[in-house]
Amino acid sequence: MSIDHTHHSHPPAAGPVRARGTGRRVRRAARLLPALALALTLAACGDDDGDATPETTAAETGGIVVQDAWVRATEGSEDPSMTGAFMVLENDGEDDVDLVGAASPVSGMVELHEMAMVDGDMVMQQVDGGITITAGRGKVLEPGGYHVMLMGLTDPLAPGDEVELTLEFSDGSEQTLTAPVKEFTEEEGHYHEPGTEEHGHDDSSEESMSDSGHGDS
Amino acid sequence: MTARVGRRALLGYAGSAAAGAAVAGTAGAVAWSQEQDHPADPATGASPAGRSHSPYGVHQPGVAAPTPQAVTLVALDLRSGVDRDALARLLRLWTGDIEALTQGRGAPGDTTPWLATAGADLTVTVGVGPGPVRAGLLPGLDGFGEIPPMRHDRLEERWSGGDLLVSVGGRDGTTVGHAVRRLTADAEPFARLRWRQHGSWNGLDGEQRPVTGRNLFGQVDGSRNPQPGTDLFDQTVWVRSGAWAGGTTLALRRIRMDLATWDELTRDEQERSTGRDLAAGAPLTGGVESDDVDLLARADGRFVVARDAHVRRSHPASNQGRRIFRKGANYSVEEWTDGGLRVESGLLFQSFQADLTDQFVRVQRTVDELDALNEWTTAIGSAAFAILPGFEKGSWLGEPLLT
């Protein structure tokens, strides 16, 4: 079971702004208390006032609009050979479109990943098929959720660098964009354990974080 | 109450998103004023219900937007080794932040995206100091350079200069502070903080109608500003040709105001020093606030507006027709000293003009030479920035200057 950051349980069609905000609430919830993440997803939707915003930006072109893309810096991270790319994918078209693949000149291998609940644990895994970008709702790719996983990085990525990304969609279209590299301040273990296909995000990883010298100030 | 404002803000966002592309350049200010419940002076008016400014246009929208209720001006110095390519990367980074933050979304990679608020009147205005221009990172601009020292200046290095400016304005200090934090964090690889100055402005009257606003002397401040959307405004503010077309220049002056000695004056003395009525802001020669002053009017054989009155000295007629477009932000800062808590108050005076030397410096020299207000006001900080032209969707801040 995966977390759909487009909050399909959200009753009225809120605008893209609300979709984003909710998505980020989900991320924090997932990080802090994985087992309760889904429950909090629903709770987080409870503050909607029910006053639906009409979709005034109706689709003229259809297609996918990529917004707010960024790539996490690897400089100084435990495993600088891999990182994640995050973004907001808007779909103003009539039909759902899947993000089915991605490529980047800085990366030897790119995969689409999701965080999912498996046996009560939040784990990272490769997405089966593609990431569905729901018509009218879009999809948020963010730390702790869906993301584009860049592996086999040739050089460390420092804040202020730029990374070229090509996204491939199920309708056969492609988009190439330049994403800024930004510092990611959350402690790395909370993002996911680098180098593992599946990683249980449980108490033991919390302990390993505190043992690794982050709190020496 | 909270829910009602939230809904309004959300609807405001949807509306502005649809209109955003059509609202470009100086038309933005005009279109904005037409959306208000109380159409009024778009240069100074604020609105009870906030809006989300489109980040796109021929000009950066913060210049012609109403004076923000809260503003933080941040100056940064480029780190050594930052070349044109690096500066371009920083400006692309900021472009993405501005696109998100002004629409109420967290900046990409935001650690606290919940602090980004739609309908917050948020504007981000970016400029470049004389240093990077002189170093050839950007093309030169006629009349742009450091502001020469004035006789009455008591400038402090810590409030002066800077390679880059980010001016963030908005409805409230929390939203503004969040945007400042993101923008400065993302600039960290490229530039280090030089100074930050925060001020506030009240552009609404008791019935929430837009008004000019007052400085801490109680003076209505900015009455005769050129109005956005007029030819006079365009001629005064915007660079019209060359690489910087669509940009402008900003002179920022941190002006300390001696409130204690000002308060010792009688009202008559206070009004004589500026040449305006304190209650309404109207010229002492009569009429209403928006009326021009009659510099030749006499009573009992003497000028009604004194020779050293601020309205006379700063008037275009005393400066060969030169004008500026000004905005203010009041500040009060606390500082613990050996002698106890000291409070300094003043005005963050922001003057926009196409040609810094020909307009601001010329007017400032006149005022420096003779102006009654010099007795109670002292510039303690001074900085000049060339404000980048605006950008359209798909482009980025400074692209025509750096590619």
Side-chain angles (χ1 to χ4, degrees):
Chain A
M1 185 172 182
S2 68
I3 297 174
D4 183 350
H5 288 193
T6 57
H7 65 291
H8 45 239
S9 58
H10 214 287
V17 172
R18 297 305 284 268
R20 261 175 228 111
T22 306
R24 287 201 162 103
R25 278 195 288 271
V26 171
R27 168 162 80 82
R28 294 294 160 153
R31 175 172 79 77
L32 294 171
L33 281 170
L36 294 175
L38 290 180
L40 288 175
T41 305
L42 302 178
C45 297
D47 62 355
D48 193 288
D49 52 29
D51 196 332
T53 306
E55 279 289 350
T56 51
T57 52
E60 288 178 55
T61 56
I64 303 300
V65 176
V66 184
Q67 244 180 187
D68 299 350
W70 66 286
V71 174
R72 179 184 184 251
T74 64
E75 207 179 53
S77 71
E78 283 175 42
D79 181 355
S81 74
M82 61 195 344
T83 190
F86 314 98
M87 66 201 74
V88 177
L89 298 163
E90 302 272 18
N91 182 356
D92 288 338
E94 301 282 310
D95 304 311
D96 293 356
V97 176
D98 291 351
L99 174 64
V100 294
S104 172
V106 303
S107 165
M109 181 166 63
V110 182
E111 290 179 357
L112 305 178
H113 283 199
E114 65 183 340
M115 303 300 283
M117 295 297 283
V118 174
D119 299 332
D121 285 334
M122 187 65 77
V123 299
M124 183 182 77
Q125 61 189 27
Q126 197 169 345
V127 171
D128 234 2
I131 296 173
T132 301
I133 309 158
T134 316
R137 286 187 175 161
K139 185 75 83 186
V140 179
L141 275 52
E142 61 190 342
Y146 290 105
H147 56 274
V148 176
M149 191 80 191
L150 306 175
M151 290 170 286
L153 296 180
T154 45
D155 292 303
L157 299 175
D161 288 349
E162 288 177 335
V163 167
E164 194 177 285
L165 274 178
T166 300
L167 306 176
E168 300 150 28
F169 300 98
S170 57
D171 61 3
S173 67
E174 278 190 5
Q175 281 197 43
T176 297
L177 58 130
T178 303
V181 176
K182 296 201 176 191
E183 185 185 11
F184 186 67
T185 45
E186 255 179 88
E187 289 181 13
E188 191 163 21
H190 288 153
Y191 164 56
H192 60 67
E193 194 70 49
T196 54
E197 275 294 310
E198 292 192 349
H199 166 60
H201 205 118
D202 53 19
D203 289 348
S204 62
S205 69
E206 299 290 333
E207 282 163 22
S208 70
M209 286 310 301
S210 49
D211 289 344
S212 61
H214 286 271
D216 57 356
S217 58
Chain B
M1 182 63 197
T2 306
R4 190 175 63 82
V5 172
R7 265 200 303 277
R8 270 208 208 175
L10 204 61
L11 292 167
Y13 167 72
S16 70
V23 178
T26 53
V30 176
W32 179 82
S33 69
Q34 288 165 352
E35 288 168 16
Q36 302 311 299
D37 293 337
H38 304 287
D41 176 0
T44 50
S47 114
R51 65 176 296 233
S52 298
H53 288 269
S54 165
Y56 307 120
V58 178
H59 315 293
Q60 292 190 66
V63 177
T67 303
Q69 286 162 271
V71 68
T72 298
L73 296 125
V74 183
L76 304 153
D77 285 335
L78 292 174
R79 297 185 187 282
S80 60
V82 170
D83 56 11
R84 276 171 68 95
D85 284 349
L87 182 57
R89 283 204 305 280
L90 169 58
L91 292 173
R92 284 194 287 269
L93 204 54
W94 274 350
T95 298
D97 291 348
I98 292 165
E99 288 177 321
L101 291 166
T102 57
Q103 304 310 304
R105 309 193 305 267
D110 204 328
T111 51
T112 51
W114 313 278
L115 288 173
T117 317
D121 290 335
L122 195 78
T123 60
V124 179
T125 308
V126 176
V128 181
V133 174
R134 207 166 30 238
L137 267 61
L138 298 107
L141 171 61
D142 282 350
F144 178 68
E146 271 94 2
I147 298 164
M150 304 282 161
R151 200 161 50 95
H152 287 93
D153 288 356
R154 296 294 179 269
L155 299 183
E156 298 173 13
E157 183 67 16
R158 59 182 178 160
W159 297 123
S160 300
D163 287 343
L164 293 172
L165 170 82
V166 185
S167 175
V168 182
R171 291 174 73 70
D172 70 281
T174 304
T175 310
V176 167
H178 169 248
V180 167
R181 182 168 174 232
R182 288 323 329 152
L183 292 159
T184 51
D186 281 343
E188 184 60 26
F190 306 94
R192 70 176 70 82
L193 184 66
R194 185 181 177 94
W195 48 250
R196 273 175 78 144
Q197 309 190 48
H198 183 77
S200 64
W201 195 254
N202 185 2
L204 296 172
D205 70 7
E207 274 110 47
Q208 302 292 295
R209 287 177 305 220
V211 291
T212 304
R214 295 176 186 271
N215 63 35
L216 296 181
F217 284 163
Q219 300 159 344
V220 177
D221 192 330
S223 301
R224 291 287 294 169
N225 255 338
Q227 299 301 297
T230 64
D231 286 348
L232 184 63
F233 180 89
D234 291 350
Q235 285 158 19
T236 303
V237 173
W238 305 125
V239 177
R240 272 159 289 167
S241 60
W244 286 86
T248 181
T249 67
L250 168 66
L252 171 68
R253 308 274 285 175
R254 185 179 180 88
I255 299 175
R256 190 178 63 211
M257 292 162 58
D258 192 340
L259 301 187
T261 56
W262 175 259
D263 286 346
E264 291 169 3
L265 303 177
T266 63
R267 176 168 171 176
D268 183 56
E269 289 168 328
Q270 291 177 344
E271 290 180 338
R272 224 167 29 217
S273 69
T274 52
R276 283 186 181 277
D277 170 70
L278 273 165
L284 291 182
T285 51
V288 296
E289 184 204 336
S290 56
D291 285 333
D292 198 5
V293 59
D294 179 1
L295 294 175
L296 301 176
R298 287 171 182 268
D300 303 327
R302 291 165 55 186
F303 282 127
V304 175
V305 173
R307 289 183 187 281
D308 63 353
H310 182 68
V311 288
R312 179 184 295 280
R313 301 301 294 165
S314 58
H315 197 278
S318 305
N319 294 281
Q320 287 155 301
R322 303 309 194 276
R323 292 171 193 274
I324 59 167
F325 172 67
R326 59 182 297 176
K327 283 186 174 179
N330 299 317
Y331 76 86
S332 285
V333 290
E334 301 80 21
E335 189 183 9
W336 282 101
T337 67
D338 292 342
L341 184 66
R342 199 180 69 87
V343 179
E344 179 193 297
S345 295
L347 179 72
L348 305 180
F349 175 89
Q350 301 146 71
S351 170
F352 295 92
Q353 55 282 310
D355 189 318
L356 186 86
T357 301
D358 186 53
Q359 294 169 260
F360 171 76
V361 172
R362 185 187 291 247
V363 174
Q364 188 59 41
R365 280 198 192 288
T366 308
V367 166
D368 188 48
E369 199 174 276
L370 178 72
D371 191 316
L373 279 184
N374 287 336
E375 189 173 337
W376 304 279
T377 60
T378 308
I380 60 169
S382 183
F385 300 99
I387 303 298
L388 297 168
F391 63 95
E392 301 295 343
K393 197 177 170 96
S395 176
W396 45 276
L397 207 46
E399 183 175 16
L401 294 163
L402 285 159
T403 51

